[in-house]
Amino acid sequence: NAGVTQTPKFQVLKTGQSMTLQCAQDMNHNSMYWYRQDPGMGLRLIYYSASEGTTDKGEVPNGYNVSRLNKREFSLRLESAAPSQTSVYFCASSDSLSTDTQYFGPGTRLTVL
Amino acid sequence: KNQVEQSPQSLIILEGKNCTLQCNYTVSPFSNLRWYKQDTGRGPVSLTIMTFSENTKSNGRYTATLDADTKQSSLHITASQLSDSASYICVLRSGGYNKLIFGAGTRLAVHP
């Protein structure tokens, strides 16, 4: 099992460009999450999906959109990238919202110039 | 003010030595507290989990303690190895949708 995979690993964008970060899990988990990690700060939840077909805002959703494409895949889209979105993005999954163990992907390092 | 504060921010120790990392929190109530290990360039991996009623939990050379009265947790690493070099993150679960509150982490470097 690969667990949680993310693509790409690195990306550089110019201000105003758009892109989609991809995430897939092969553990048959119902719930999936997107976080960002900034220096000196803890991980912050951007969006989450309790189950296929549902998505909800987390702590810092502004500037992002998500799609739960199917049970395996959960994508994060930046429509018009800004330098403040320079960060490392992590996708995670868990059995359900009430199950504590979240399994994280390797992350995508995004730089917006 | 951060709800989860970790100290020190960074730490360097020699291989074979012990160390203790601290986590102070103001989150209340919470259902459990986890310590995660995050290797450079990787996602966090869970090391230990304690409910609010537990005092200690071990995972090999890692021992976590929890003092609910003082709202402090610590992670003690015994006989450190080079592979222990990583960031260690304290995480509390609060809320009904698996809401996790992350500390900023302590970056540990183990030198030979």
Side-chain angles (χ1 to χ4, degrees), chain B residues 68-85:
Chain B
D69 291 333
T70 61
K71 297 187 176 179
Q72 293 181 325
S73 176
S74 63
L75 180 69
H76 186 74
I77 304 175
T78 304
S80 61
Q81 300 176 357
L82 298 179
S83 60
D84 292 330
S85 294

Side-chain angles (χ1 to χ4, degrees), chain A residues 97-112:
Chain A
L97 288 185
S98 61
T99 301
D100 292 309
T101 303
Q102 292 187 14
Y103 296 86
F104 287 82
T108 294
R109 184 174 292 275
L110 175 66
T111 300
V112 183

Side-chain angles (χ1 to χ4, degrees), chain A residues 3-96:
Chain A
V4 180
T5 57
Q6 293 183 234
T7 56
K9 290 187 70 67
F10 302 94
Q11 183 71 49
V12 179
L13 294 178
K14 295 180 179 178
T15 297
Q17 287 185 316
S18 62
M19 79 160 296
T20 300
L21 281 64
Q22 305 287 352
C23 173
Q25 50 91 9
D26 62 3
M27 295 175 282
N28 201 35
H29 284 166
N30 290 302
S31 301
M32 298 185 73
Y33 315 81
W34 276 106
Y35 292 91
R36 61 178 288 172
Q37 185 176 39
D38 300 298
M41 301 181 69
L43 275 79
R44 292 180 292 169
L45 184 64
I46 303 171
Y47 271 94
Y48 66 100
S49 171
S51 60
E52 185 178 354
T54 70
T55 61
D56 284 287
K57 295 178 180 179
E59 182 184 356
V60 288
N62 291 345
Y64 306 95
N65 285 300
V66 291
S67 295
R68 184 74 183 267
L69 304 171
N70 47 56
K71 190 172 186 178
R72 290 186 64 249
E73 298 172 289
F74 188 37
S75 63
L76 178 72
R77 182 160 178 84
L78 287 69
E79 290 291 352
S80 179
S84 61
Q85 294 177 305
T86 294
S87 189
V88 182
Y89 292 86
F90 288 97
C91 178
S93 70
S94 65
D95 269 347
S96 71

